[in-house]
Amino acid sequence: MRFELAIDHVSIGMSFRQVAGAIQHAKDRTKMSKLSGINDLIVGQYVRVLVATNLQMIADILDDDMVWDLSLAGDGSTHRGQSFFDLRMRICLKGQLLNLHLVAIPMFDRNTALNIFNMFVKFLDALYSKWRSKLIGMSSDCENTMTGRHAGLVTRMVACAENPVLRLWCPPHQIDLVVKSSSNGISGGTWVS
């Protein structure tokens, strides 16, 4: 019960310390001794167990003979001054398309394509070492770090894949580039000014 309550509370955005406090309040109100002895370290351990279990399930799904391909989508963002790289995976299993949010990895180094690539590959190798043989799609935003044709992340990922890879980048970003280019072309850019 403690485990399930902790995971429920974390899943709605509560910090580990808040979860421990909420469970302690529930224990005090209900007089249930089953809920005693929780703290933020135990909540953190519960979350680690759940994350590890889910990552193992994803690795097992990838290893299924029915899964012959995967598509990856990556995007960088910053939250409260901390840069993160968000990784999603799409696979088809038993006729169903699964869109999985794998991980948001904190970026402590500069957000260069090489740093992101190294982090990306290290994570994927740890998750499922045969990912290169199943990668058929890679998508990202239009940031040069992601799409640069010589050293961008997508270019590097395509180069290490064992099969041809379909490269996609976000349609709204593509439309934005076309609109900007077209607008700048009207009367030499004076229309935009």
Side-chain angles (χ1 to χ4, degrees), residues 56-105:
Q56 184 60 55
M57 287 172 44
I58 291 170
D60 292 344
I61 289 170
L62 286 171
D63 201 35
D64 190 309
D65 290 336
M66 297 297 291
V67 176
W68 56 270
D69 65 332
L70 67 96
S71 177
L72 298 172
D75 192 15
S77 63
T78 302
H79 178 67
R80 295 186 181 193
Q82 176 63 56
S83 294
F84 286 89
F85 190 80
D86 191 43
L87 178 59
R88 293 184 173 275
M89 176 184 291
R90 289 185 184 99
I91 55 177
C92 185
L93 177 66
K94 297 179 184 172
Q96 284 193 305
L97 181 63
L98 303 177
N99 185 7
L100 307 171
H101 180 251
L102 285 180
V103 70
I105 303 174

Short mmCIF file of all heavy atoms in Angstrom, two decimals, residues 56-105:
data_model
loop_
_atom_site.label_atom_id
_atom_site.label_comp_id
_atom_site.label_asym_id
_atom_site.label_seq_id
_atom_site.Cartn_x
_atom_site.Cartn_y
_atom_site.Cartn_z
N GLN A 56 13.11 -2.04 -18.29
CA GLN A 56 13.32 -3.45 -18.63
C GLN A 56 12.18 -3.97 -19.50
O GLN A 56 12.40 -4.73 -20.44
CB GLN A 56 13.46 -4.31 -17.37
CG GLN A 56 13.76 -5.76 -17.67
CD GLN A 56 15.06 -5.94 -18.43
OE1 GLN A 56 16.10 -5.48 -17.98
NE2 GLN A 56 15.02 -6.59 -19.59
N MET A 57 10.95 -3.55 -19.21
CA MET A 57 9.80 -3.96 -20.03
C MET A 57 9.96 -3.44 -21.45
O MET A 57 9.67 -4.15 -22.42
CB MET A 57 8.50 -3.46 -19.41
CG MET A 57 8.09 -4.24 -18.17
SD MET A 57 6.67 -3.58 -17.26
CE MET A 57 5.50 -3.17 -18.50
N ILE A 58 10.43 -2.19 -21.60
CA ILE A 58 10.64 -1.62 -22.93
C ILE A 58 11.74 -2.40 -23.66
O ILE A 58 11.60 -2.72 -24.85
CB ILE A 58 10.97 -0.12 -22.84
CG1 ILE A 58 9.73 0.65 -22.37
CG2 ILE A 58 11.47 0.41 -24.18
CD1 ILE A 58 9.99 2.10 -22.01
N ALA A 59 12.82 -2.73 -22.96
CA ALA A 59 13.89 -3.52 -23.58
C ALA A 59 13.37 -4.89 -24.02
O ALA A 59 13.72 -5.37 -25.11
CB ALA A 59 15.05 -3.68 -22.60
N ASP A 60 12.52 -5.50 -23.21
CA ASP A 60 11.94 -6.80 -23.58
C ASP A 60 11.03 -6.67 -24.80
O ASP A 60 11.02 -7.54 -25.68
CB ASP A 60 11.16 -7.39 -22.41
CG ASP A 60 12.06 -7.81 -21.25
OD1 ASP A 60 13.28 -7.93 -21.44
OD2 ASP A 60 11.52 -7.99 -20.13
N ILE A 61 10.27 -5.58 -24.88
CA ILE A 61 9.42 -5.35 -26.05
C ILE A 61 10.28 -5.19 -27.30
O ILE A 61 10.00 -5.77 -28.35
CB ILE A 61 8.53 -4.11 -25.84
CG1 ILE A 61 7.43 -4.41 -24.81
CG2 ILE A 61 7.91 -3.65 -27.16
CD1 ILE A 61 6.65 -3.18 -24.36
N LEU A 62 11.37 -4.42 -27.18
CA LEU A 62 12.26 -4.22 -28.33
C LEU A 62 12.89 -5.53 -28.79
O LEU A 62 13.18 -5.70 -29.97
CB LEU A 62 13.35 -3.20 -27.99
CG LEU A 62 12.91 -1.76 -27.91
CD1 LEU A 62 14.02 -0.89 -27.35
CD2 LEU A 62 12.47 -1.25 -29.27
N ASP A 63 13.11 -6.44 -27.86
CA ASP A 63 13.74 -7.70 -28.19
C ASP A 63 12.75 -8.72 -28.78
O ASP A 63 13.17 -9.76 -29.26
CB ASP A 63 14.41 -8.29 -26.94
CG ASP A 63 15.48 -9.29 -27.29
OD1 ASP A 63 16.16 -9.12 -28.32
OD2 ASP A 63 15.62 -10.28 -26.53
N ASP A 64 11.46 -8.40 -28.76
CA ASP A 64 10.45 -9.29 -29.32
C ASP A 64 10.65 -9.41 -30.83
O ASP A 64 10.90 -8.43 -31.52
CB ASP A 64 9.06 -8.71 -29.02
CG ASP A 64 7.94 -9.67 -29.36
OD1 ASP A 64 7.91 -10.21 -30.48
OD2 ASP A 64 7.08 -9.87 -28.48
N ASP A 65 10.57 -10.63 -31.35
CA ASP A 65 10.75 -10.87 -32.79
C ASP A 65 9.71 -10.14 -33.63
O ASP A 65 9.94 -9.88 -34.82
CB ASP A 65 10.70 -12.37 -33.09
CG ASP A 65 11.92 -13.10 -32.54
OD1 ASP A 65 12.97 -12.45 -32.35
OD2 ASP A 65 11.81 -14.32 -32.30
N MET A 66 8.56 -9.84 -33.06
CA MET A 66 7.51 -9.14 -33.80
C MET A 66 7.83 -7.65 -33.99
O MET A 66 7.22 -6.99 -34.82
CB MET A 66 6.17 -9.27 -33.07
CG MET A 66 5.67 -10.70 -32.95
SD MET A 66 5.33 -11.46 -34.55
CE MET A 66 3.91 -10.51 -35.06
N VAL A 67 8.77 -7.12 -33.22
CA VAL A 67 9.17 -5.72 -33.35
C VAL A 67 10.42 -5.70 -34.22
O VAL A 67 11.50 -6.07 -33.80
CB VAL A 67 9.46 -5.08 -31.97
CG1 VAL A 67 9.97 -3.67 -32.13
CG2 VAL A 67 8.21 -5.11 -31.11
N TRP A 68 10.25 -5.26 -35.46
CA TRP A 68 11.37 -5.25 -36.39
C TRP A 68 11.87 -3.85 -36.68
O TRP A 68 12.86 -3.68 -37.38
CB TRP A 68 11.00 -5.97 -37.68
CG TRP A 68 9.78 -5.42 -38.36
CD1 TRP A 68 8.49 -5.80 -38.17
CD2 TRP A 68 9.75 -4.35 -39.32
NE1 TRP A 68 7.65 -5.05 -38.95
CE2 TRP A 68 8.40 -4.14 -39.66
CE3 TRP A 68 10.71 -3.55 -39.91
CZ2 TRP A 68 8.00 -3.17 -40.57
CZ3 TRP A 68 10.32 -2.59 -40.82
CH2 TRP A 68 8.98 -2.42 -41.14
N ASP A 69 11.18 -2.83 -36.16
CA ASP A 69 11.61 -1.46 -36.44
C ASP A 69 11.30 -0.56 -35.26
O ASP A 69 10.51 -0.88 -34.39
CB ASP A 69 10.93 -0.93 -37.69
CG ASP A 69 9.43 -0.79 -37.51
OD1 ASP A 69 8.86 -1.54 -36.71
OD2 ASP A 69 8.84 0.07 -38.17
N LEU A 70 11.96 0.58 -35.25
CA LEU A 70 11.66 1.61 -34.27
C LEU A 70 11.99 2.96 -34.86
O LEU A 70 12.82 3.10 -35.76
CB LEU A 70 12.41 1.38 -32.95
CG LEU A 70 13.92 1.52 -32.93
CD1 LEU A 70 14.32 2.91 -32.45
CD2 LEU A 70 14.50 0.49 -31.99
N SER A 71 11.29 3.95 -34.36
CA SER A 71 11.52 5.32 -34.76
C SER A 71 11.77 6.13 -33.50
O SER A 71 11.10 5.95 -32.49
CB SER A 71 10.28 5.86 -35.50
OG SER A 71 10.47 7.21 -35.83
N LEU A 72 12.74 7.01 -33.55
CA LEU A 72 13.09 7.83 -32.39
C LEU A 72 12.77 9.29 -32.67
O LEU A 72 12.87 9.76 -33.80
CB LEU A 72 14.58 7.69 -32.08
CG LEU A 72 15.05 6.30 -31.70
CD1 LEU A 72 16.57 6.26 -31.61
CD2 LEU A 72 14.44 5.86 -30.39
N ALA A 73 12.41 10.00 -31.63
CA ALA A 73 12.19 11.44 -31.71
C ALA A 73 12.88 12.08 -30.52
O ALA A 73 12.70 11.64 -29.38
CB ALA A 73 10.70 11.77 -31.71
N GLY A 74 13.67 13.09 -30.78
CA GLY A 74 14.38 13.76 -29.70
C GLY A 74 14.17 15.25 -29.76
O GLY A 74 14.00 15.83 -30.82
N ASP A 75 14.18 15.86 -28.58
CA ASP A 75 14.05 17.31 -28.50
C ASP A 75 14.69 17.78 -27.21
O ASP A 75 14.58 17.13 -26.18
CB ASP A 75 12.57 17.71 -28.52
CG ASP A 75 12.36 19.20 -28.73
OD1 ASP A 75 13.32 19.89 -29.14
OD2 ASP A 75 11.24 19.68 -28.49
N GLY A 76 15.36 18.90 -27.28
CA GLY A 76 15.97 19.48 -26.10
C GLY A 76 15.09 20.58 -25.54
O GLY A 76 14.36 21.24 -26.28
N SER A 77 15.14 20.77 -24.22
CA SER A 77 14.39 21.85 -23.60
C SER A 77 15.08 22.24 -22.29
O SER A 77 15.98 21.56 -21.83
CB SER A 77 12.93 21.44 -23.36
OG SER A 77 12.89 20.37 -22.46
N THR A 78 14.63 23.34 -21.73
CA THR A 78 15.18 23.81 -20.47
C THR A 78 14.04 24.03 -19.49
O THR A 78 13.02 24.62 -19.84
CB THR A 78 15.96 25.13 -20.68
OG1 THR A 78 17.00 24.89 -21.63
CG2 THR A 78 16.58 25.61 -19.38
N HIS A 79 14.21 23.53 -18.27
CA HIS A 79 13.21 23.70 -17.22
C HIS A 79 13.92 24.18 -15.96
O HIS A 79 14.84 23.50 -15.47
CB HIS A 79 12.47 22.39 -16.97
CG HIS A 79 11.45 22.45 -15.89
ND1 HIS A 79 10.30 23.21 -16.01
CD2 HIS A 79 11.41 21.89 -14.67
CE1 HIS A 79 9.59 23.09 -14.90
NE2 HIS A 79 10.25 22.30 -14.07
N ARG A 80 13.53 25.34 -15.47
CA ARG A 80 14.14 25.92 -14.28
C ARG A 80 15.65 26.01 -14.38
O ARG A 80 16.39 25.66 -13.46
CB ARG A 80 13.73 25.15 -13.03
CG ARG A 80 12.26 25.24 -12.75
CD ARG A 80 11.92 24.58 -11.45
NE ARG A 80 10.48 24.66 -11.23
CZ ARG A 80 9.90 24.41 -10.09
NH1 ARG A 80 10.61 24.07 -9.06
NH2 ARG A 80 8.61 24.50 -9.98
N GLY A 81 16.12 26.41 -15.53
CA GLY A 81 17.54 26.61 -15.75
C GLY A 81 18.33 25.34 -16.04
O GLY A 81 19.53 25.39 -16.26
N GLN A 82 17.69 24.19 -16.06
CA GLN A 82 18.36 22.92 -16.33
C GLN A 82 17.97 22.41 -17.72
O GLN A 82 16.79 22.27 -18.00
CB GLN A 82 17.98 21.87 -15.28
CG GLN A 82 18.54 20.48 -15.53
CD GLN A 82 20.05 20.43 -15.49
OE1 GLN A 82 20.66 20.82 -14.51
NE2 GLN A 82 20.65 19.99 -16.56
N SER A 83 18.96 22.15 -18.55
CA SER A 83 18.69 21.62 -19.89
C SER A 83 18.42 20.12 -19.80
O SER A 83 19.07 19.40 -19.04
CB SER A 83 19.89 21.85 -20.80
OG SER A 83 20.08 23.21 -21.02
N PHE A 84 17.45 19.68 -20.58
CA PHE A 84 17.09 18.27 -20.66
C PHE A 84 17.01 17.86 -22.11
O PHE A 84 16.73 18.67 -22.99
CB PHE A 84 15.72 18.01 -20.03
CG PHE A 84 15.72 18.06 -18.54
CD1 PHE A 84 15.50 19.25 -17.88
CD2 PHE A 84 15.94 16.92 -17.80
CE1 PHE A 84 15.50 19.31 -16.50
CE2 PHE A 84 15.94 16.96 -16.42
CZ PHE A 84 15.72 18.16 -15.77
N PHE A 85 17.27 16.59 -22.37
CA PHE A 85 17.04 16.04 -23.68
C PHE A 85 15.95 14.99 -23.55
O PHE A 85 16.09 14.03 -22.79
CB PHE A 85 18.30 15.44 -24.28
CG PHE A 85 18.12 15.10 -25.72
CD1 PHE A 85 18.21 16.08 -26.68
CD2 PHE A 85 17.81 13.82 -26.11
CE1 PHE A 85 18.00 15.78 -28.00
CE2 PHE A 85 17.59 13.52 -27.42
CZ PHE A 85 17.70 14.51 -28.38
N ASP A 86 14.87 15.20 -24.26
CA ASP A 86 13.69 14.35 -24.17
C ASP A 86 13.73 13.34 -25.31
O ASP A 86 13.93 13.70 -26.46
CB ASP A 86 12.46 15.25 -24.30
CG ASP A 86 11.18 14.53 -23.96
OD1 ASP A 86 11.16 13.80 -22.97
OD2 ASP A 86 10.19 14.74 -24.68
N LEU A 87 13.57 12.07 -24.98
CA LEU A 87 13.65 11.00 -25.97
C LEU A 87 12.35 10.20 -26.00
O LEU A 87 11.87 9.73 -24.98
CB LEU A 87 14.82 10.07 -25.63
CG LEU A 87 15.04 8.87 -26.53
CD1 LEU A 87 15.29 9.30 -27.97
CD2 LEU A 87 16.21 8.06 -26.01
N ARG A 88 11.77 10.08 -27.20
CA ARG A 88 10.56 9.29 -27.41
C ARG A 88 10.85 8.20 -28.43
O ARG A 88 11.73 8.35 -29.27
CB ARG A 88 9.42 10.17 -27.92
CG ARG A 88 8.98 11.17 -26.89
CD ARG A 88 7.78 11.97 -27.38
NE ARG A 88 7.28 12.79 -26.32
CZ ARG A 88 6.41 12.40 -25.39
NH1 ARG A 88 5.93 11.18 -25.42
NH2 ARG A 88 6.01 13.20 -24.45
N MET A 89 10.07 7.12 -28.35
CA MET A 89 10.25 6.00 -29.26
C MET A 89 8.89 5.55 -29.75
O MET A 89 7.94 5.47 -28.97
CB MET A 89 10.95 4.86 -28.52
CG MET A 89 11.10 3.60 -29.33
SD MET A 89 11.84 2.26 -28.36
CE MET A 89 13.48 2.87 -28.15
N ARG A 90 8.81 5.25 -31.04
CA ARG A 90 7.58 4.68 -31.61
C ARG A 90 7.93 3.31 -32.18
O ARG A 90 8.87 3.17 -32.94
CB ARG A 90 7.03 5.58 -32.70
CG ARG A 90 6.45 6.85 -32.16
CD ARG A 90 5.79 7.68 -33.25
NE ARG A 90 5.32 8.91 -32.69
CZ ARG A 90 5.96 10.07 -32.77
NH1 ARG A 90 7.10 10.14 -33.42
NH2 ARG A 90 5.46 11.15 -32.23
N ILE A 91 7.11 2.32 -31.80
CA ILE A 91 7.28 0.97 -32.32
C ILE A 91 5.89 0.38 -32.57
O ILE A 91 4.90 0.84 -32.01
CB ILE A 91 8.06 0.06 -31.34
CG1 ILE A 91 7.39 0.03 -29.98
CG2 ILE A 91 9.50 0.49 -31.23
CD1 ILE A 91 8.04 -0.90 -28.98
N CYS A 92 5.86 -0.63 -33.41
CA CYS A 92 4.60 -1.32 -33.67
C CYS A 92 4.73 -2.72 -33.09
O CYS A 92 5.68 -3.45 -33.40
CB CYS A 92 4.34 -1.39 -35.17
SG CYS A 92 2.74 -2.11 -35.56
N LEU A 93 3.78 -3.08 -32.23
CA LEU A 93 3.79 -4.39 -31.60
C LEU A 93 2.38 -4.98 -31.68
O LEU A 93 1.42 -4.36 -31.22
CB LEU A 93 4.23 -4.29 -30.13
CG LEU A 93 4.21 -5.58 -29.32
CD1 LEU A 93 5.23 -6.56 -29.86
CD2 LEU A 93 4.48 -5.29 -27.85
N LYS A 94 2.28 -6.14 -32.29
CA LYS A 94 1.01 -6.85 -32.42
C LYS A 94 -0.09 -5.97 -32.99
O LYS A 94 -1.21 -5.92 -32.49
CB LYS A 94 0.59 -7.43 -31.07
CG LYS A 94 1.57 -8.46 -30.54
CD LYS A 94 1.17 -8.99 -29.20
CE LYS A 94 2.25 -9.95 -28.71
NZ LYS A 94 2.03 -10.37 -27.35
N GLY A 95 0.25 -5.21 -34.03
CA GLY A 95 -0.72 -4.38 -34.71
C GLY A 95 -1.04 -3.06 -34.02
O GLY A 95 -1.89 -2.32 -34.48
N GLN A 96 -0.37 -2.77 -32.93
CA GLN A 96 -0.62 -1.51 -32.22
C GLN A 96 0.62 -0.65 -32.27
O GLN A 96 1.74 -1.12 -32.03
CB GLN A 96 -0.97 -1.75 -30.76
CG GLN A 96 -2.38 -2.24 -30.54
CD GLN A 96 -2.73 -2.14 -29.07
OE1 GLN A 96 -2.04 -2.69 -28.23
NE2 GLN A 96 -3.82 -1.45 -28.77
N LEU A 97 0.43 0.64 -32.54
CA LEU A 97 1.51 1.60 -32.53
C LEU A 97 1.69 2.10 -31.10
O LEU A 97 0.74 2.61 -30.49
CB LEU A 97 1.20 2.78 -33.46
CG LEU A 97 2.28 3.86 -33.54
CD1 LEU A 97 3.57 3.27 -34.12
CD2 LEU A 97 1.80 5.01 -34.39
N LEU A 98 2.88 1.91 -30.56
CA LEU A 98 3.19 2.37 -29.21
C LEU A 98 4.04 3.62 -29.30
O LEU A 98 5.07 3.63 -29.97
CB LEU A 98 3.94 1.29 -28.43
CG LEU A 98 3.28 -0.07 -28.29
CD1 LEU A 98 4.19 -1.04 -27.55
CD2 LEU A 98 1.95 0.06 -27.58
N ASN A 99 3.62 4.67 -28.64
CA ASN A 99 4.36 5.92 -28.58
C ASN A 99 4.85 6.05 -27.15
O ASN A 99 4.09 6.39 -26.25
CB ASN A 99 3.46 7.09 -28.98
CG ASN A 99 4.21 8.39 -29.06
OD1 ASN A 99 5.44 8.44 -28.95
ND2 ASN A 99 3.48 9.46 -29.24
N LEU A 100 6.12 5.75 -26.92
CA LEU A 100 6.66 5.68 -25.57
C LEU A 100 7.56 6.87 -25.26
O LEU A 100 8.44 7.21 -26.05
CB LEU A 100 7.48 4.39 -25.41
CG LEU A 100 6.77 3.10 -25.78
CD1 LEU A 100 7.76 1.94 -25.77
CD2 LEU A 100 5.63 2.84 -24.81
N HIS A 101 7.35 7.47 -24.13
CA HIS A 101 8.27 8.50 -23.64
C HIS A 101 9.34 7.75 -22.85
O HIS A 101 9.06 7.22 -21.78
CB HIS A 101 7.56 9.51 -22.75
CG HIS A 101 8.48 10.56 -22.24
ND1 HIS A 101 8.85 10.63 -20.93
CD2 HIS A 101 9.11 11.56 -22.88
CE1 HIS A 101 9.67 11.64 -20.77
NE2 HIS A 101 9.85 12.22 -21.94
N LEU A 102 10.54 7.67 -23.41
CA LEU A 102 11.58 6.88 -22.76
C LEU A 102 12.17 7.59 -21.55
O LEU A 102 12.22 7.05 -20.46
CB LEU A 102 12.69 6.56 -23.75
CG LEU A 102 12.39 5.50 -24.78
CD1 LEU A 102 13.59 5.30 -25.69
CD2 LEU A 102 12.04 4.19 -24.11
N VAL A 103 12.65 8.80 -21.79
CA VAL A 103 13.40 9.46 -20.71
C VAL A 103 13.62 10.93 -21.05
O VAL A 103 13.63 11.31 -22.21
CB VAL A 103 14.75 8.72 -20.50
CG1 VAL A 103 15.70 8.94 -21.65
CG2 VAL A 103 15.39 9.06 -19.19
N ALA A 104 13.76 11.71 -20.01
CA ALA A 104 14.25 13.09 -20.15
C ALA A 104 15.58 13.11 -19.40
O ALA A 104 15.61 13.00 -18.18
CB ALA A 104 13.26 14.08 -19.56
N ILE A 105 16.67 13.18 -20.14
CA ILE A 105 18.00 13.10 -19.56
C ILE A 105 18.54 14.51 -19.32
O ILE A 105 18.56 15.32 -20.23
CB ILE A 105 18.96 12.33 -20.49
CG1 ILE A 105 18.42 10.94 -20.80
CG2 ILE A 105 20.35 12.26 -19.89
CD1 ILE A 105 19.23 10.19 -21.83
#
